C-alpha cells in the first residue's frame, strides 16, 4: 500500500515544482521525474493488474502474427516495434506509461493558471493510476482524450480529430468524445442552462435505451458482432454505488460553478463533461455493464475538476474544505484499490521479486 501512496505524493510534488520553481533546470528535472517515477513503477510490475498475463500473452502472440483485429492499430504497432527491436514486455509498459504521463502532464499544465498541477496529478494517481495497470489501452486513450479537450476550447477541429484518432489507436471507445465537440457551445456557455439540461435529458434517455438502439445495429453488421459480448443482462447495483461515490464531487462542483467560472469559463464545459460521464455510467442499469466503461473518456476530466476545487478553496481561505476533499480522495483510493483490491493491483509485486 505504501509504495503506491509514496509514488503518488512524489509525483504530485515534482509536478508542482515543474511549474512553480523559478530555476529552469529544476523545472525540467521535475517534469522528467513526474513522468519517469510513476512510469518505472508501472513498467517493472509482475502479475499486477487483472489482465496482466493477457497483455503478456498478446505481446508474444503479436510478434508472431503481426496485426490482428482484436487490438487497435497504435497499440499493436507499438507491440510489434518493441518486439522487433528486441524489447521486453517491461519496455512496452514503460513506453506506454511515458506516453500516458506525458499527455497527462501536458493536459494539467494547460490549465496551470487556474489549477494546481500537483493536485491534479495527485487526483489522477489516487483515482485512475492503479486502474491503468489493468486497463492499459483504455488508460492511454483517456489521457489523450483529456489533452484533446484543449482544442475544443480553442475551436480547432482538425487537431482535435487527429488526437481523437490517436486515442482510438489505443482504444476504440475514444470515438465517444466527438459528440462533445459538436455540442461544446451548448455545454460551455454559462447562459445556456436550458440547452445543457436538454442535452443531459436526451443523453439519459438514449443511454437507458441503449440495448434497443444498439443491439439491432451490432447484429446487422457482421464486423461489429464481436461487441454483442458487451451487451449483457447484469444488475445495476455497481452503477448506483458508483454514483454515490461521486456524489461529493457533483455537489461541490454544482455549488462552486458560479464562483469558478468567473476566473475560468472552461470549468463549465469540463464539469458538463463530468456530468455526461455519470449519465453514460447509467448504461449498467440496462444490461450494458461493460459499455459504461466508455464513460471514463469523459470522467477523466475529474482530475482537473478536483484541482479547480482545491485552488478555489485555498484562494478563498477555506483550507478545511481543501483538506476534506484530499481526505475523501484518500478514502476513495483506499476503499477501491486496497480494501476491495479492485483491478488486482494490491499488494504490489515487481520483476525484482519485491
Amino acid at each position: 500500500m505504501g509504495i503506491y501512496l509514496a509514488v503518488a505524493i512524489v509525483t504530485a510534488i515534482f509536478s508542482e515544482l515543474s511549474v512553480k520553481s523559478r530555476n529552469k533546470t529544476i523545472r525540467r528535472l521535475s517534469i522528467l521525474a513526474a513522468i519517469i517515477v510513476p512510469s518505472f513503477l508501472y513498467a517493472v510490475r509482475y502479475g499486477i493488474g487483472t489482465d496482466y498475463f493477457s497483455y503478456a500473452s498478446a505481446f508474444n502472440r503479436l510478434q508472431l502474427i503481426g496485426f490482428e483485429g482484436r487490438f487497435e492499430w497504435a497499440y499493436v504497432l507499438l507491440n510489434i516495434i518493441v518486439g522487433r527491436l528486441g524489447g521486453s514486455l517491461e519496455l512496452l509498459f514503460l513506453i506506454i506509461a511515458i506516453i500516458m504521463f506525458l499527455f497527462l502532464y501536458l493536459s494539467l499544465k494547460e490549465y496551470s493558471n487556474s489549477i494546481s498541477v500537483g493536485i491534479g496529478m495527485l487526483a489522477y494517481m489516487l483515482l485512475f493510476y492503479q486502474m491503468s495497470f489493468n486497463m492499459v489501452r483504455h488508460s492511454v486513450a483517456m489521457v489523450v482524450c483529456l489533452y484533446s479537450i484543449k482544442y475544443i476550447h480553442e475551436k480547432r477541429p482538425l487537431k482535435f480529430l487527429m488526437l481523437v484518432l490517436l486515442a482510438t489507436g489505443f482504444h476504440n471507445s475514444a470515438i465517444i468524445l466527438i459528440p462533445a465537440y459538436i455540442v461544446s457551445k451548448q455545454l460551455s456557455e454559462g447562459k445556456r442552462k436550458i440547452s445543457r439540461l436538454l442535452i443531459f435529458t436526451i443523453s439519459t434517455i438514449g443511454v437507458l435505451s441503449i440495448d434497443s438502439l444498439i443491439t439491432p445495429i451490432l447484429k446487422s453488421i457482421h464486423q461489429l458482432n464481436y461487441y454483442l459480448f458487451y451487451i449483457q443482462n447484469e444488475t445495476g447495483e455497481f452503477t448506483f454505488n458508483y454514483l454515490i461515490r461521486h456524489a461529493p464531487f457533483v455537489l461541490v462542483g454544482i455549488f462552486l460553478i458560479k464562483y469558478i467560472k468567473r476566473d475560468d469559463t472552461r470549468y463549465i464545459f469540463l464539469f458538463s463533461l463530468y456530468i455526461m460521464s455519470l449519465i453514460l455510467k447509467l448504461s449498467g442499469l440496462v444490461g450494458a455493464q461493460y459499455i459504461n466503461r466508455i464513460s471514463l473518456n469523459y470522467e477523466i476530466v475529474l482530475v482537473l475538476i478536483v484541482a479547480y476545487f482545491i485552488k478555489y478553496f485555498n484562494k478563498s481561505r477555506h483550507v478545511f474544505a481543501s483538506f476534506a476533499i484530499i481526505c475523501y480522495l484518500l478514502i476513495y483510493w483506499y476503499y477501491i484499490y486496497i480494501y476491495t483490491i479492485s483491478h488486482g493491483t494490491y499488494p504490489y509485486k515487481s520483476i525484482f521479486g519485491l
Side-chain angles (χ1 to χ4, degrees):
M1 180 180 82
I3 190 169
Y4 288 117
L5 196 55
V7 168
I9 293 172
V10 168
T11 303
I13 291 173
F14 278 123
S15 298
E16 191 68 13
L17 278 175
S18 71
V19 294
K20 289 295 179 64
S21 177
R22 295 180 180 180
N23 186 293
K24 190 175 182 179
T25 301
I26 292 178
R27 289 200 304 271
R28 289 179 174 177
L29 289 175
S30 294
I31 293 172
L32 186 64
I35 294 172
I36 294 299
V37 170
S39 296
F40 180 77
L41 187 72
Y42 189 91
V44 300
R45 72 186 193 268
Y46 179 77
I48 299 300
T50 308
D51 290 341
Y52 175 88
F53 291 106
S54 295
Y55 280 109
S57 176
F59 175 74
N60 294 324
R61 187 174 68 254
L62 289 171
Q63 308 313 314
L64 299 175
I65 66 174
F67 281 85
E68 65 171 42
R70 182 183 174 187
F71 296 115
E72 293 80 0
W73 65 270
Y75 179 74
V76 172
L77 184 61
L78 194 56
N79 272 259
I80 293 175
I81 291 174
V82 171
R84 298 289 165 82
L85 293 176
S88 62
L89 178 66
E90 289 73 34
L91 178 60
L92 173 68
F93 283 153
L94 179 64
I95 294 172
I96 285 174
I98 289 174
I99 293 171
M100 189 162 60
F101 276 95
L102 178 61
F103 274 103
L104 176 61
Y105 177 80
L106 291 174
S107 300
L108 294 171
K109 194 172 186 299
E110 182 66 25
Y111 298 83
S112 59
N113 290 331
S114 301
I115 68 170
S116 162
V117 173
I119 291 296
M121 186 64 78
L122 180 65
Y124 179 84
M125 296 298 290
L126 296 178
L127 294 171
F128 299 107
Y129 179 56
Q130 285 169 247
M131 176 192 297
S132 73
F133 283 59
N134 179 35
M135 300 170 60
V136 175
R137 292 153 40 237
H138 199 164
S139 295
V140 178
M142 285 163 58
V143 293
V144 176
C145 284
L146 182 64
Y147 185 67
S148 73
I149 294 173
K150 160 187 169 70
Y151 297 110
I152 298 181
H153 295 314
E154 296 177 0
K155 295 180 172 55
R156 302 172 76 174
L158 183 58
K159 288 190 174 183
F160 168 74
L161 288 173
M162 288 176 64
L163 280 170
V164 171
L165 177 62
L166 175 61
T168 58
F170 287 94
H171 205 275
N172 288 325
S173 65
I175 200 74
I176 193 66
L177 198 66
I178 290 180
Y181 191 98
I182 298 171
V183 296
S184 59
K185 187 175 182 179
Q186 289 73 23
L187 292 180
S188 60
E189 294 184 2
K191 296 180 180 180
R192 293 179 177 265
K193 294 180 181 178
I194 301 300
S195 297
R196 283 198 295 276
L197 182 60
L198 183 61
I199 290 171
F200 294 153
T201 302
I202 292 174
S203 299
T204 301
I205 294 172
V207 167
L208 294 178
S209 306
I210 199 167
D211 186 36
S212 59
L213 291 174
I214 291 187
T215 300
I217 296 175
L218 297 181
K219 286 183 177 179
S220 64
I221 303 176
H222 178 71
Q223 292 85 347
L224 300 179
N225 285 175
Y226 168 78
Y227 292 98
L228 286 169
F229 167 77
Y230 295 101
I231 304 290
Q232 298 186 4
N233 294 318
E234 298 187 22
T235 64
E237 293 181 4
F238 174 78
T239 300
F240 280 124
N241 290 336
Y242 191 91
L243 293 177
I244 290 171
R245 290 199 296 273
H246 281 261
F249 300 129
V250 174
L251 295 175
V252 174
I254 292 173
F255 176 74
L256 292 183
I257 195 166
K258 63 180 179 181
Y259 302 108
I260 297 178
K261 72 178 183 180
R262 296 172 185 171
D263 298 323
D264 193 341
T265 56
R266 294 177 297 179
Y267 173 79
I268 300 174
F269 181 64
L270 294 170
F271 190 69
S272 295
L273 293 183
Y274 177 53
I275 296 299
M276 286 298 300
S277 77
L278 300 181
I279 292 173
L280 289 170
K281 203 70 180 176
L282 292 173
S283 60
L285 291 174
V286 289
Q289 191 73 6
Y290 286 95
I291 285 182
N292 63 32
R293 286 191 177 188
I294 64 177
S295 68
L296 292 169
N297 296 309
Y298 282 73
E299 187 188 325
I300 187 64
V301 300
L302 187 56
V303 302
L304 296 172
I305 290 170
V306 169
Y308 271 106
F309 291 168
I310 300 297
K311 185 67 175 284
Y312 172 79
F313 284 135
N314 289 344
K315 184 179 178 180
S316 58
R317 299 183 179 180
H318 292 95
V319 181
F320 178 78
S322 295
F323 179 74
I325 290 175
I326 297 298
C327 286
Y328 186 76
L329 286 175
L330 288 168
I331 292 170
Y332 182 99
W333 164 76
Y334 180 84
Y335 177 78
I336 297 297
Y337 297 112
I338 307 302
Y339 182 76
T340 67
I341 319 180
S342 180
H343 296 285
T345 60
Y346 178 76
Y348 181 82
K349 295 179 182 178
S350 75
I351 58 174
F352 306 116
L354 302 175

